[in-house]
Amino acid sequence: MGTNLFVYGTLMVAEVMGRVSGCHQAGEVALLHGHRRRRLSRQVYPAIVPCPGGRVEGLLYRGLAPGQLAALDAFEGAMYRRVAVTVVIQAECFTAETYLLRKAWSHLLSDEDWSLQRFVAEGLREFLADYPGFAATTPSDVVDEQQR
């Protein structure tokens, strides 16, 4: 059956999600209420934190395997923790997991909104080439698990 995952930043880009987790399915547009998304200072990627009245648009990927989640955990690193949330797709609620910024790193959260379009236009190429999280993942393990 697998685990549902709500993504709201760089993992919304199919190339990033596929490279990290081996997941090539299309995500479904979903909303997460009670949170806000901001760019991290001096970075091209965002984080989300709880925020009453806030909402974050992202994608829901359904049925991820444990190996895929392990690769995503490694990619996200120590700054983020995976937690259970409820997201909404066309007025229907779904349980999913997502990555929240840990409180120890909250000082890195800027006041700047994060834009997927801006990231794709201005930051994606450099992110794919330089983000250290890619080195932490082991794509061959993900592929092996998907073939089982």
PDB file of all heavy atoms in Angstrom, residues 44-74:
ATOM      1  N   VAL A  44      17.716  28.355  -2.279  1.00  0.00           N
ATOM      2  CA  VAL A  44      16.697  28.400  -3.328  1.00  0.00           C
ATOM      3  C   VAL A  44      15.502  27.522  -2.973  1.00  0.00           C
ATOM      4  O   VAL A  44      14.559  27.432  -3.734  1.00  0.00           O
ATOM      5  CB  VAL A  44      17.266  27.979  -4.706  1.00  0.00           C
ATOM      6  CG1 VAL A  44      18.335  28.965  -5.166  1.00  0.00           C
ATOM      7  CG2 VAL A  44      17.790  26.550  -4.669  1.00  0.00           C
ATOM      8  N   TYR A  45      15.550  26.864  -1.820  1.00  0.00           N
ATOM      9  CA  TYR A  45      14.488  25.937  -1.432  1.00  0.00           C
ATOM     10  C   TYR A  45      13.750  26.447  -0.190  1.00  0.00           C
ATOM     11  O   TYR A  45      14.272  27.260   0.565  1.00  0.00           O
ATOM     12  CB  TYR A  45      15.031  24.523  -1.224  1.00  0.00           C
ATOM     13  CG  TYR A  45      16.191  24.418  -0.277  1.00  0.00           C
ATOM     14  CD1 TYR A  45      15.985  24.241   1.090  1.00  0.00           C
ATOM     15  CD2 TYR A  45      17.496  24.483  -0.746  1.00  0.00           C
ATOM     16  CE1 TYR A  45      17.050  24.134   1.972  1.00  0.00           C
ATOM     17  CE2 TYR A  45      18.561  24.372   0.115  1.00  0.00           C
ATOM     18  CZ  TYR A  45      18.337  24.197   1.475  1.00  0.00           C
ATOM     19  OH  TYR A  45      19.390  24.096   2.334  1.00  0.00           O
ATOM     20  N   PRO A  46      12.528  25.928   0.015  1.00  0.00           N
ATOM     21  CA  PRO A  46      11.705  26.396   1.132  1.00  0.00           C
ATOM     22  C   PRO A  46      11.647  25.410   2.293  1.00  0.00           C
ATOM     23  O   PRO A  46      12.192  24.302   2.230  1.00  0.00           O
ATOM     24  CB  PRO A  46      10.323  26.488   0.493  1.00  0.00           C
ATOM     25  CG  PRO A  46      10.298  25.266  -0.388  1.00  0.00           C
ATOM     26  CD  PRO A  46      11.717  25.166  -0.936  1.00  0.00           C
ATOM     27  N   ALA A  47      10.929  25.842   3.296  1.00  0.00           N
ATOM     28  CA  ALA A  47      10.542  24.979   4.410  1.00  0.00           C
ATOM     29  C   ALA A  47       9.131  25.398   4.807  1.00  0.00           C
ATOM     30  O   ALA A  47       8.675  26.499   4.460  1.00  0.00           O
ATOM     31  CB  ALA A  47      11.497  25.143   5.584  1.00  0.00           C
ATOM     32  N   ILE A  48       8.446  24.507   5.510  1.00  0.00           N
ATOM     33  CA  ILE A  48       7.150  24.870   6.066  1.00  0.00           C
ATOM     34  C   ILE A  48       7.202  24.708   7.580  1.00  0.00           C
ATOM     35  O   ILE A  48       7.959  23.902   8.107  1.00  0.00           O
ATOM     36  CB  ILE A  48       5.975  24.060   5.475  1.00  0.00           C
ATOM     37  CG1 ILE A  48       6.121  22.564   5.747  1.00  0.00           C
ATOM     38  CG2 ILE A  48       5.818  24.341   3.993  1.00  0.00           C
ATOM     39  CD1 ILE A  48       4.895  21.742   5.350  1.00  0.00           C
ATOM     40  N   VAL A  49       6.384  25.533   8.222  1.00  0.00           N
ATOM     41  CA  VAL A  49       6.241  25.495   9.679  1.00  0.00           C
ATOM     42  C   VAL A  49       4.766  25.690   9.999  1.00  0.00           C
ATOM     43  O   VAL A  49       4.018  26.277   9.202  1.00  0.00           O
ATOM     44  CB  VAL A  49       7.087  26.586  10.373  1.00  0.00           C
ATOM     45  CG1 VAL A  49       8.576  26.329  10.197  1.00  0.00           C
ATOM     46  CG2 VAL A  49       6.727  27.978   9.861  1.00  0.00           C
ATOM     47  N   PRO A  50       4.327  25.211  11.159  1.00  0.00           N
ATOM     48  CA  PRO A  50       2.935  25.456  11.554  1.00  0.00           C
ATOM     49  C   PRO A  50       2.638  26.942  11.627  1.00  0.00           C
ATOM     50  O   PRO A  50       3.476  27.741  12.048  1.00  0.00           O
ATOM     51  CB  PRO A  50       2.849  24.810  12.946  1.00  0.00           C
ATOM     52  CG  PRO A  50       3.923  23.775  12.941  1.00  0.00           C
ATOM     53  CD  PRO A  50       5.039  24.372  12.129  1.00  0.00           C
ATOM     54  N   CYS A  51       1.443  27.315  11.188  1.00  0.00           N
ATOM     55  CA  CYS A  51       1.016  28.712  11.207  1.00  0.00           C
ATOM     56  C   CYS A  51      -0.510  28.736  11.162  1.00  0.00           C
ATOM     57  O   CYS A  51      -1.102  28.427  10.116  1.00  0.00           O
ATOM     58  CB  CYS A  51       1.587  29.451  10.004  1.00  0.00           C
ATOM     59  SG  CYS A  51       1.035  31.167   9.860  1.00  0.00           S
ATOM     60  N   PRO A  52      -1.156  29.072  12.270  1.00  0.00           N
ATOM     61  CA  PRO A  52      -2.619  29.121  12.276  1.00  0.00           C
ATOM     62  C   PRO A  52      -3.142  30.023  11.153  1.00  0.00           C
ATOM     63  O   PRO A  52      -2.633  31.120  10.941  1.00  0.00           O
ATOM     64  CB  PRO A  52      -2.952  29.699  13.649  1.00  0.00           C
ATOM     65  CG  PRO A  52      -1.759  29.377  14.488  1.00  0.00           C
ATOM     66  CD  PRO A  52      -0.574  29.445  13.551  1.00  0.00           C
ATOM     67  N   GLY A  53      -4.105  29.515  10.408  1.00  0.00           N
ATOM     68  CA  GLY A  53      -4.687  30.275   9.307  1.00  0.00           C
ATOM     69  C   GLY A  53      -3.912  30.192   8.007  1.00  0.00           C
ATOM     70  O   GLY A  53      -4.388  30.655   6.972  1.00  0.00           O
ATOM     71  N   GLY A  54      -2.729  29.611   8.024  1.00  0.00           N
ATOM     72  CA  GLY A  54      -1.928  29.509   6.815  1.00  0.00           C
ATOM     73  C   GLY A  54      -2.367  28.330   5.962  1.00  0.00           C
ATOM     74  O   GLY A  54      -3.135  27.469   6.391  1.00  0.00           O
ATOM     75  N   ARG A  55      -1.867  28.316   4.737  1.00  0.00           N
ATOM     76  CA  ARG A  55      -2.114  27.166   3.856  1.00  0.00           C
ATOM     77  C   ARG A  55      -0.999  27.090   2.835  1.00  0.00           C
ATOM     78  O   ARG A  55      -0.460  28.103   2.396  1.00  0.00           O
ATOM     79  CB  ARG A  55      -3.484  27.229   3.213  1.00  0.00           C
ATOM     80  CG  ARG A  55      -3.612  28.171   2.077  1.00  0.00           C
ATOM     81  CD  ARG A  55      -4.994  28.104   1.468  1.00  0.00           C
ATOM     82  NE  ARG A  55      -4.862  28.454   0.077  1.00  0.00           N
ATOM     83  CZ  ARG A  55      -5.779  28.309  -0.826  1.00  0.00           C
ATOM     84  NH1 ARG A  55      -6.939  27.813  -0.499  1.00  0.00           N
ATOM     85  NH2 ARG A  55      -5.568  28.644  -2.065  1.00  0.00           N
ATOM     86  N   VAL A  56      -0.676  25.859   2.484  1.00  0.00           N
ATOM     87  CA  VAL A  56       0.416  25.603   1.550  1.00  0.00           C
ATOM     88  C   VAL A  56      -0.108  24.703   0.443  1.00  0.00           C
ATOM     89  O   VAL A  56      -0.700  23.657   0.707  1.00  0.00           O
ATOM     90  CB  VAL A  56       1.602  24.906   2.267  1.00  0.00           C
ATOM     91  CG1 VAL A  56       2.697  24.546   1.268  1.00  0.00           C
ATOM     92  CG2 VAL A  56       2.147  25.788   3.382  1.00  0.00           C
ATOM     93  N   GLU A  57       0.101  25.118  -0.795  1.00  0.00           N
ATOM     94  CA  GLU A  57      -0.253  24.274  -1.936  1.00  0.00           C
ATOM     95  C   GLU A  57       0.960  23.437  -2.303  1.00  0.00           C
ATOM     96  O   GLU A  57       2.089  23.927  -2.332  1.00  0.00           O
ATOM     97  CB  GLU A  57      -0.675  25.122  -3.131  1.00  0.00           C
ATOM     98  CG  GLU A  57      -1.154  24.278  -4.292  1.00  0.00           C
ATOM     99  CD  GLU A  57      -1.712  25.101  -5.446  1.00  0.00           C
ATOM    100  OE1 GLU A  57      -2.739  25.764  -5.255  1.00  0.00           O
ATOM    101  OE2 GLU A  57      -1.093  25.055  -6.528  1.00  0.00           O
ATOM    102  N   GLY A  58       0.698  22.161  -2.563  1.00  0.00           N
ATOM    103  CA  GLY A  58       1.774  21.264  -2.953  1.00  0.00           C
ATOM    104  C   GLY A  58       1.218  20.099  -3.741  1.00  0.00           C
ATOM    105  O   GLY A  58       0.145  20.201  -4.357  1.00  0.00           O
ATOM    106  N   LEU A  59       1.945  18.992  -3.718  1.00  0.00           N
ATOM    107  CA  LEU A  59       1.535  17.785  -4.428  1.00  0.00           C
ATOM    108  C   LEU A  59       1.489  16.614  -3.461  1.00  0.00           C
ATOM    109  O   LEU A  59       2.332  16.509  -2.569  1.00  0.00           O
ATOM    110  CB  LEU A  59       2.520  17.456  -5.550  1.00  0.00           C
ATOM    111  CG  LEU A  59       2.660  18.449  -6.682  1.00  0.00           C
ATOM    112  CD1 LEU A  59       3.754  17.986  -7.650  1.00  0.00           C
ATOM    113  CD2 LEU A  59       1.344  18.640  -7.415  1.00  0.00           C
ATOM    114  N   LEU A  60       0.541  15.732  -3.681  1.00  0.00           N
ATOM    115  CA  LEU A  60       0.445  14.500  -2.913  1.00  0.00           C
ATOM    116  C   LEU A  60       0.890  13.353  -3.808  1.00  0.00           C
ATOM    117  O   LEU A  60       0.349  13.146  -4.897  1.00  0.00           O
ATOM    118  CB  LEU A  60      -0.991  14.263  -2.434  1.00  0.00           C
ATOM    119  CG  LEU A  60      -1.197  12.978  -1.624  1.00  0.00           C
ATOM    120  CD1 LEU A  60      -0.485  13.071  -0.286  1.00  0.00           C
ATOM    121  CD2 LEU A  60      -2.682  12.702  -1.433  1.00  0.00           C
ATOM    122  N   TYR A  61       1.895  12.609  -3.329  1.00  0.00           N
ATOM    123  CA  TYR A  61       2.324  11.375  -3.984  1.00  0.00           C
ATOM    124  C   TYR A  61       1.793  10.233  -3.140  1.00  0.00           C
ATOM    125  O   TYR A  61       1.982  10.210  -1.932  1.00  0.00           O
ATOM    126  CB  TYR A  61       3.854  11.288  -4.065  1.00  0.00           C
ATOM    127  CG  TYR A  61       4.461  12.273  -5.030  1.00  0.00           C
ATOM    128  CD1 TYR A  61       5.032  13.452  -4.576  1.00  0.00           C
ATOM    129  CD2 TYR A  61       4.463  12.018  -6.389  1.00  0.00           C
ATOM    130  CE1 TYR A  61       5.591  14.363  -5.462  1.00  0.00           C
ATOM    131  CE2 TYR A  61       5.020  12.914  -7.286  1.00  0.00           C
ATOM    132  CZ  TYR A  61       5.577  14.086  -6.812  1.00  0.00           C
ATOM    133  OH  TYR A  61       6.134  14.979  -7.695  1.00  0.00           O
ATOM    134  N   ARG A  62       1.140   9.279  -3.783  1.00  0.00           N
ATOM    135  CA  ARG A  62       0.513   8.175  -3.053  1.00  0.00           C
ATOM    136  C   ARG A  62       1.340   6.899  -3.142  1.00  0.00           C
ATOM    137  O   ARG A  62       1.928   6.590  -4.171  1.00  0.00           O
ATOM    138  CB  ARG A  62      -0.876   7.889  -3.623  1.00  0.00           C
ATOM    139  CG  ARG A  62      -1.831   9.052  -3.470  1.00  0.00           C
ATOM    140  CD  ARG A  62      -3.198   8.625  -3.915  1.00  0.00           C
ATOM    141  NE  ARG A  62      -4.069   9.763  -4.136  1.00  0.00           N
ATOM    142  CZ  ARG A  62      -5.343   9.759  -3.839  1.00  0.00           C
ATOM    143  NH1 ARG A  62      -5.916   8.699  -3.321  1.00  0.00           N
ATOM    144  NH2 ARG A  62      -6.088  10.823  -4.087  1.00  0.00           N
ATOM    145  N   GLY A  63       1.326   6.154  -2.032  1.00  0.00           N
ATOM    146  CA  GLY A  63       1.853   4.800  -2.017  1.00  0.00           C
ATOM    147  C   GLY A  63       3.356   4.654  -2.164  1.00  0.00           C
ATOM    148  O   GLY A  63       3.819   3.730  -2.822  1.00  0.00           O
ATOM    149  N   LEU A  64       4.130   5.537  -1.531  1.00  0.00           N
ATOM    150  CA  LEU A  64       5.583   5.405  -1.616  1.00  0.00           C
ATOM    151  C   LEU A  64       6.062   4.236  -0.761  1.00  0.00           C
ATOM    152  O   LEU A  64       5.552   3.987   0.327  1.00  0.00           O
ATOM    153  CB  LEU A  64       6.262   6.690  -1.172  1.00  0.00           C
ATOM    154  CG  LEU A  64       5.983   7.923  -2.042  1.00  0.00           C
ATOM    155  CD1 LEU A  64       6.732   9.125  -1.515  1.00  0.00           C
ATOM    156  CD2 LEU A  64       6.318   7.675  -3.494  1.00  0.00           C
ATOM    157  N   ALA A  65       7.055   3.534  -1.266  1.00  0.00           N
ATOM    158  CA  ALA A  65       7.634   2.373  -0.586  1.00  0.00           C
ATOM    159  C   ALA A  65       8.625   2.820   0.486  1.00  0.00           C
ATOM    160  O   ALA A  65       9.166   3.930   0.413  1.00  0.00           O
ATOM    161  CB  ALA A  65       8.341   1.484  -1.610  1.00  0.00           C
ATOM    162  N   PRO A  66       8.902   1.949   1.467  1.00  0.00           N
ATOM    163  CA  PRO A  66       9.858   2.296   2.526  1.00  0.00           C
ATOM    164  C   PRO A  66      11.227   2.741   1.999  1.00  0.00           C
ATOM    165  O   PRO A  66      11.825   3.676   2.538  1.00  0.00           O
ATOM    166  CB  PRO A  66       9.963   1.009   3.343  1.00  0.00           C
ATOM    167  CG  PRO A  66       8.638   0.344   3.160  1.00  0.00           C
ATOM    168  CD  PRO A  66       8.255   0.650   1.731  1.00  0.00           C
ATOM    169  N   GLY A  67      11.728   2.102   0.966  1.00  0.00           N
ATOM    170  CA  GLY A  67      13.023   2.497   0.401  1.00  0.00           C
ATOM    171  C   GLY A  67      12.993   3.888  -0.198  1.00  0.00           C
ATOM    172  O   GLY A  67      13.973   4.636  -0.111  1.00  0.00           O
ATOM    173  N   GLN A  68      11.868   4.230  -0.807  1.00  0.00           N
ATOM    174  CA  GLN A  68      11.729   5.578  -1.355  1.00  0.00           C
ATOM    175  C   GLN A  68      11.716   6.612  -0.223  1.00  0.00           C
ATOM    176  O   GLN A  68      12.352   7.662  -0.327  1.00  0.00           O
ATOM    177  CB  GLN A  68      10.453   5.680  -2.181  1.00  0.00           C
ATOM    178  CG  GLN A  68      10.508   4.876  -3.460  1.00  0.00           C
ATOM    179  CD  GLN A  68       9.191   4.876  -4.201  1.00  0.00           C
ATOM    180  OE1 GLN A  68       8.152   4.527  -3.641  1.00  0.00           O
ATOM    181  NE2 GLN A  68       9.240   5.260  -5.466  1.00  0.00           N
ATOM    182  N   LEU A  69      10.991   6.315   0.849  1.00  0.00           N
ATOM    183  CA  LEU A  69      10.958   7.228   1.993  1.00  0.00           C
ATOM    184  C   LEU A  69      12.333   7.357   2.639  1.00  0.00           C
ATOM    185  O   LEU A  69      12.733   8.455   3.051  1.00  0.00           O
ATOM    186  CB  LEU A  69       9.926   6.778   3.019  1.00  0.00           C
ATOM    187  CG  LEU A  69       8.470   6.950   2.582  1.00  0.00           C
ATOM    188  CD1 LEU A  69       7.540   6.287   3.580  1.00  0.00           C
ATOM    189  CD2 LEU A  69       8.113   8.417   2.396  1.00  0.00           C
ATOM    190  N   ALA A  70      13.076   6.267   2.722  1.00  0.00           N
ATOM    191  CA  ALA A  70      14.428   6.318   3.285  1.00  0.00           C
ATOM    192  C   ALA A  70      15.323   7.233   2.440  1.00  0.00           C
ATOM    193  O   ALA A  70      16.104   8.026   2.985  1.00  0.00           O
ATOM    194  CB  ALA A  70      15.015   4.917   3.380  1.00  0.00           C
ATOM    195  N   ALA A  71      15.203   7.134   1.128  1.00  0.00           N
ATOM    196  CA  ALA A  71      15.986   8.007   0.249  1.00  0.00           C
ATOM    197  C   ALA A  71      15.573   9.465   0.431  1.00  0.00           C
ATOM    198  O   ALA A  71      16.425  10.362   0.482  1.00  0.00           O
ATOM    199  CB  ALA A  71      15.812   7.579  -1.208  1.00  0.00           C
ATOM    200  N   LEU A  72      14.282   9.718   0.566  1.00  0.00           N
ATOM    201  CA  LEU A  72      13.796  11.081   0.781  1.00  0.00           C
ATOM    202  C   LEU A  72      14.244  11.616   2.137  1.00  0.00           C
ATOM    203  O   LEU A  72      14.623  12.788   2.250  1.00  0.00           O
ATOM    204  CB  LEU A  72      12.269  11.123   0.647  1.00  0.00           C
ATOM    205  CG  LEU A  72      11.777  10.949  -0.790  1.00  0.00           C
ATOM    206  CD1 LEU A  72      10.343  10.458  -0.811  1.00  0.00           C
ATOM    207  CD2 LEU A  72      11.933  12.258  -1.559  1.00  0.00           C
ATOM    208  N   ASP A  73      14.231  10.771   3.170  1.00  0.00           N
ATOM    209  CA  ASP A  73      14.719  11.191   4.490  1.00  0.00           C
ATOM    210  C   ASP A  73      16.185  11.615   4.401  1.00  0.00           C
ATOM    211  O   ASP A  73      16.587  12.637   4.965  1.00  0.00           O
ATOM    212  CB  ASP A  73      14.588  10.062   5.511  1.00  0.00           C
ATOM    213  CG  ASP A  73      13.154   9.766   5.924  1.00  0.00           C
ATOM    214  OD1 ASP A  73      12.236  10.570   5.630  1.00  0.00           O
ATOM    215  OD2 ASP A  73      12.943   8.708   6.553  1.00  0.00           O
ATOM    216  N   ALA A  74      16.991  10.821   3.707  1.00  0.00           N
ATOM    217  CA  ALA A  74      18.409  11.147   3.558  1.00  0.00           C
ATOM    218  C   ALA A  74      18.585  12.452   2.787  1.00  0.00           C
ATOM    219  O   ALA A  74      19.418  13.291   3.142  1.00  0.00           O
ATOM    220  CB  ALA A  74      19.140  10.007   2.856  1.00  0.00           C
TER     221      ALA A  74
END
